[in-house]
Amino acid sequence: MTAYVSAFDLFSIGVGPSSSHTVGPMRAGLDFATRLHTDRVLDRVARVTCELFGSLGATGLGHGTPDAVVAGLQDLHPETCDPDDVRAAWQGWPEGKKLNLAGRHPIPFVKDDVTFTPRTRLPGHPNAMTLRALDADGQTVAEQIYYSIGGGFIRRDGEQARITASVQPYPYADAASLLALCDENGLSIAELARLNETAVRSEEQVAAGLDAIWDAMSACVDAGLHTGGTLPGILKVKRRASDIREQLEAAESDGHRELPGEWLGAFALAVNEENAAGGRVVTAPTNGAAGILPAVAMYWWRFLADSGLGIGNAVTPHGELVGSALLGFGGSAPAPEELDDEQMAEANRRRGIRRFLLTATALGSLFKANASISGAEGGCQAEVGSACAMAAGGLTAVMGGTNRQIENAAEIAMEHHLGLTCDPIGGLVQIPCIERNAVAASTAVTATRLALRGDGQHYVSLDAVVETMRQTGADMSTKYKETSEGGLAVNVIEC
């Protein structure tokens, strides 16, 4: 059994504000409706109900969980839907309107068909929900318990997590075996991840898919930097990324030097404000922590990629330079003579982002397999901590770090998030979540700098930190795990 999760599962394009409380429940609703059609019982259904348990019941309203379930039942997909069609799918449901189940079978529906049971926790996972389909006599046609296990992944009761299966040439269980595999085969972590991806997809498909992920991340940063106003919900939080962008642009136009550290924070705020507003966002590896990887990657793209400290200086574990051909993904990159200087710089940055994402994928897989990426299961250390470690590893890779420096950077980043609680005020992914992403992005850069100044040797291993995170999450009180029953959520007045 390998820990590796495909980049196209770990980085899924969806909608905000939460991967576990919005994207996962939406996929559960979609899966349930699709199965009704596949099992040829759809025409018998006269009513559908949904019961939200545990964390979904406790903070579902603030996370848009019932809206997401209703959208999924109507055959909307998180990857392709218009976010506006999800935001008020349940809360704005008109009286008397019928629900088009599976996009083809109209049935009566009222808001009370979704119920909240926050004090009941099912044994399979803190994020649990039951969907029931009833006939005209009120008899059950189908019933299914779903668990939203973090990062938009779902699991039906009694089944394993639904992750794309593949025959991987380089399976690994932990960081130690990952490093050993890389040593034995003379591979960088990114190259090993690429070979696992190309076992089921062509190199061109992998390159195009990674580029699409980055384009969605970049678009989210840009949207957040150019959108003002107030975030939805009772807190009335003012969006700040656009104002900060204007301030930084004004400072730079007045002759001040560029301020990369401040831009880094603005990038993270931009993504998480878009997420909090229910916009298009990439899980990385969750929505609550979605701003960290894009912010760090954009920081490299904008300030470091063309400085001679980028992909061109990357080295293998044995010290050889990694040329653009190795990370150019076969025929996906034009020949140098076909490009002008600007196009060549763009192509090099693209290759760097692919390396960044693949490295982050290999590391993120370790957290998902051996601990958790779910705030409801492990607290915010599982979300923001994992994302910070992934970003630190990715940045170290594109800054020319060795495999052991990459592992060291990830370990440093995760170590200093151990014990971080998930206590969103008002059940909204806003305070402290948005600022927390900006701080973690800065921590990721610091972890990279520390790792690159060393030789990769360090006392605490990444595996030890992952296991410590798992144990800490298991010991953590439920009130600090995305229930809004402790921490800031009860010590700050919501209005």
Side-chain angles (χ1 to χ4, degrees):
M1 185 68 179
T2 180
Y4 188 80
V5 178
S6 172
F8 306 110
D9 289 317
L10 203 59
F11 299 115
S12 60
I13 301 172
V15 296
S18 172
S19 51
S20 60
H21 287 56
T22 313
V23 177
M26 188 174 176
R27 286 179 174 153
L30 175 64
D31 180 83
F32 187 70
T34 300
R35 288 177 183 274
L36 292 174
H37 174 65
T38 302
D39 295 342
R40 299 184 178 182
V41 296
L42 185 64
D43 291 341
R44 294 172 49 198
V45 179
R47 182 186 176 205
V48 171
T49 66
C50 174
E51 188 170 9
L52 301 172
F53 299 97
S55 181
L56 293 183
T59 62
L61 281 177
H63 288 75
T65 303
D67 302 288
V69 173
V70 170
L73 289 171
Q74 296 181 93
D75 199 41
L76 294 185
H77 296 243
E79 299 85 358
T80 57
C81 70
D82 184 339
D84 288 338
D85 293 336
V86 181
R87 289 190 181 105
W90 174 82
Q91 293 193 43
W93 189 265
E95 185 177 351
K97 180 183 176 181
K98 290 195 172 184
L99 186 150
N100 200 21
L101 187 61
R104 66 187 73 205
H105 179 58
I107 60 171
F109 181 81
V110 296
K111 290 176 66 175
D112 287 344
D113 287 331
V114 178
T115 57
F116 303 82
T117 314
R119 299 295 181 180
T120 301
R121 292 168 61 87
L122 301 192
H125 194 277
N127 293 330
M129 55 187 285
T130 297
L131 285 163
R132 295 182 183 89
L134 310 172
D135 63 18
D137 296 323
Q139 299 300 307
T140 299
V141 174
E143 180 176 333
Q144 183 61 58
I145 296 173
Y146 288 91
Y147 303 112
S148 181
I149 60 176
F153 294 96
I154 60 172
R155 185 178 73 235
R156 298 172 75 225
D157 191 41
E159 291 184 347
Q160 295 298 312
R162 303 191 328 163
I163 300 172
T164 302
S166 64
V167 178
Q168 296 172 355
Y170 296 100
Y172 58 90
D174 50 28
S177 57
L178 170 61
L179 291 174
L181 267 178
C182 290
D183 285 348
E184 292 167 10
N185 296 277
L187 298 171
S188 68
I189 292 175
E191 185 64 8
L192 182 144
R194 183 180 78 85
L195 292 172
N196 279 342
E197 298 288 352
T198 55
V200 293
R201 296 177 176 88
S202 70
E203 293 194 341
E204 289 77 12
Q205 288 174 324
V206 173
L210 294 172
D211 287 350
I213 290 169
W214 170 243
D215 288 342
M217 287 180 170
S218 180
C220 188
V221 171
D222 187 65
L225 288 175
H226 292 86
T227 305
T230 303
L231 293 172
I234 60 174
L235 302 181
K236 305 300 180 186
V237 173
K238 184 179 184 296
R239 297 179 68 141
R240 289 178 289 169
S242 180
D243 287 345
I244 294 173
R245 172 191 57 80
E246 291 179 357
Q247 293 167 18
L248 293 175
E249 288 177 344
E252 291 171 357
S253 66
D254 288 341
H256 293 77
R257 61 183 178 84
E258 288 187 314
L259 304 167
E262 294 194 49
W263 277 109
L264 173 67
F267 297 151
L269 292 179
V271 172
N272 285 89
E273 288 174 356
E274 278 296 291
N275 177 64
R280 177 72 63 204
V281 68
V282 179
T283 60
T286 66
N287 282 27
I292 300 166
L293 274 99
V296 174
M298 185 64 76
Y299 169 82
W300 174 81
W301 176 284
R302 177 162 174 174
F303 298 107
L304 301 175
D306 299 331
S307 67
L309 297 174
I311 190 66
N313 289 339
V315 295
T316 69
H318 304 293
E320 300 95 348
L321 284 175
V322 175
S324 61
L326 180 60
L327 294 171
F329 292 78
S332 64
E337 60 270 15
E338 299 175 6
L339 305 176
D340 59 29
D341 290 345
E342 184 174 342
Q343 292 171 324
M344 178 61 74
E346 168 80 10
N348 284 333
R349 286 195 295 268
R350 287 276 178 181
R351 285 192 285 273
I353 290 296
R354 294 170 191 164
R355 183 180 181 89
F356 182 102
L357 292 174
L358 286 170
T359 304
T361 298
L363 297 170
S365 297
L366 296 171
F367 294 106
K368 177 161 178 53
N370 299 322
S372 177
I373 58 171
S374 167
E377 192 171 33
C380 202
Q381 59 169 3
E383 295 199 32
V384 165
S386 297
C388 184
M390 293 163 65
L395 182 60
T396 304
V398 296
M399 292 295 289
T402 65
N403 289 336
R404 279 170 175 75
Q405 288 173 322
I406 292 168
E407 186 256 1
N408 188 197
E411 177 272 321
I412 294 170
M414 184 68 243
E415 181 179 336
H416 299 290
H417 282 91
L418 291 173
L420 186 62
T421 59
C422 183
D423 50 355
I425 297 175
L428 299 168
V429 193
Q430 297 179 15
I431 303 173
C433 320
I434 295 172
E435 286 182 353
R436 188 168 282 172
N437 276 249
V439 173
S442 178
T443 299
V445 173
T446 299
T448 292
R449 289 172 175 163
L450 290 172
L452 288 173
R453 292 297 180 185
D455 60 3
Q457 301 301 312
H458 52 107
Y459 195 83
V460 179
S461 70
L462 178 57
D463 286 328
V465 172
V466 172
E467 174 58 17
T468 302
M469 190 261 274
R470 186 194 68 77
Q471 293 175 5
T472 303
D475 292 341
M476 189 180 290
S477 171
T478 299
K479 68 182 182 181
Y480 298 119
K481 293 193 283 190
E482 210 165 354
T483 58
S484 290
E485 295 176 348
L488 286 175
V490 300
N491 287 307
V492 177
I493 298 174
E494 296 175 5
C495 59

